[in-house]
Amino acid sequence: MGILEGLILGIIQGLTEFLPVSSSGHLEIVKALFGSNAIAEESMFMTVMLHGATALSTIVVFRKEIGEILGGLLQFKWNEQTIFSLKIIISMIPAAFVGVVFADQLESLFDSQIVLVGFMLLLTAALLFLADKAKTTEKGVSYSNAIVIGIAQAIAILPGISRSGATISTSVLLGIDRTRATRFSFLMVVPLILGKMAKDLLSSEFTIVGESAMPVIVGFIAAFITGLLACTWMIKLVRKSKLTYFSVYCAIVGMVAIICGLFC
């Protein structure tokens, strides 16, 4: 994997992480187009690092909210921040379970599985279309909602299913206010990604040395910078725009991916 490839992957990750179009799906498509010969483990490492970059950009954008949450937790009282944090923890359980129990099976899916990505993008398109028809309400996230949203996030580990699209759409279909749904969706993934990164980096599973390190570094920086811009933009866009546009986009990309995977 070259530096230019790392740069492009980083930009794509930063731009698509906060759009409901599946950043992992786009990364796998681009890797296939590059004709990358990297084994699944190396491909997975790059994906984890790029997601870490956008998790960092999320922390920067939501630094005020995160500061308030930490401040509330340090009071050691049953307050609004404690309740919100508990809901975040509950939402993490399904994805953490799937990530630990099915780690080997998931790793094999991040190896230019273009046809799979295409079908998952079609599923994302359908989910976004259904969410677009849901009525707007002012409901917050309940404990039961947190579990359901967490299950949606666990399913979204599959490349091609948008994590933000799945969690925000599920929230909207549950009747949760779009602004609250967006905030919860973006914040719930941060501890999960950072935990995954810490586990992988502390283990001997991933190793990069020499020339292979530079594309990862370049990709990380590119994903962080573009992630900052995309996250700030999407906070405003998701509140006001309809999901149909993203649904159509995912459907088109999904069909193209399936056709290319089967016939190219």
Side-chain angles (χ1 to χ4, degrees):
M1 182 180 296
I3 294 178
L4 177 60
E5 183 177 357
L7 175 64
I8 294 176
L9 291 177
I11 293 174
I12 291 176
Q13 167 65 21
L15 292 177
T16 59
E17 173 65 22
F18 303 102
L19 294 168
V21 295
S22 179
S23 59
S24 61
H26 280 70
L27 288 175
E28 294 308 307
I29 291 175
V30 172
K31 289 171 188 173
L33 293 177
F34 273 114
S36 175
N37 293 319
I39 61 174
E41 181 177 303
E42 295 171 341
S43 179
M44 189 65 166
F45 176 76
M46 183 58 141
T47 300
V48 170
M49 291 301 295
L50 294 183
H51 276 83
T54 47
L56 182 60
S57 66
T58 304
I59 293 174
V60 173
V61 172
F62 285 96
R63 60 189 180 278
K64 180 179 179 180
E65 289 85 351
I66 294 175
E68 292 175 350
I69 293 173
L70 293 177
L73 291 175
L74 291 176
Q75 295 178 9
F76 301 103
K77 297 179 180 179
W78 189 254
N79 50 33
E80 182 180 347
Q81 290 77 21
T82 304
I83 294 174
F84 182 83
S85 298
L86 181 57
K87 292 175 182 177
I88 289 292
I89 293 174
I90 291 174
S91 71
M92 292 167 51
I93 295 174
F97 174 80
V98 171
V100 172
V101 177
F102 301 102
D104 294 336
Q105 291 86 342
L106 289 172
E107 184 178 292
S108 66
L109 298 179
F110 288 82
D111 188 22
S112 301
Q113 301 287 342
I114 302 304
V115 175
L116 172 64
V117 169
F119 279 112
M120 294 301 100
L121 281 170
L122 293 181
L123 181 58
T124 296
L127 184 59
L128 293 172
F129 179 80
L130 291 175
D132 196 45
K133 304 302 179 182
K135 295 181 180 179
T136 301
T137 68
E138 297 182 357
K139 287 176 57 179
V141 180
S142 66
Y143 290 108
S144 59
N145 291 157
I147 282 289
V148 176
I149 298 171
I151 293 174
Q153 178 170 250
I155 297 174
I157 292 177
L158 295 172
I161 297 183
S162 166
R163 193 207 64 81
S164 63
T167 53
I168 292 175
S169 295
T170 299
S171 300
V172 172
L173 289 171
L174 290 172
I176 299 171
D177 172 70
R178 290 175 182 267
T179 299
R180 294 175 180 173
T182 303
R183 175 173 176 259
F184 192 82
S185 172
F186 287 163
L187 289 178
M188 69 186 285
V189 74
V190 173
L192 201 63
I193 291 179
L194 295 182
K196 170 65 175 174
M197 283 190 65
K199 173 181 176 296
D200 291 335
L201 293 176
L202 291 175
S203 70
S204 58
E205 181 179 359
F206 295 134
T207 57
I208 56 170
V209 293
E211 296 180 358
S212 62
M214 188 54 65
V216 176
I217 295 173
V218 172
F220 185 93
I221 295 174
F224 173 71
I225 295 175
T226 54
L228 284 176
L229 300 175
C231 183
T232 304
W233 178 56
M234 279 304 300
I235 291 172
K236 301 177 181 178
L237 187 60
V238 171
R239 293 172 181 171
K240 300 178 181 180
S241 67
K242 294 184 177 295
L243 298 175
T244 301
Y245 303 109
F246 300 112
S247 175
V248 173
Y249 173 82
C250 287
I252 294 174
V253 176
M255 288 187 289
V256 171
I258 293 173
I259 293 173
C260 290
L262 292 176
F263 303 105
C264 295

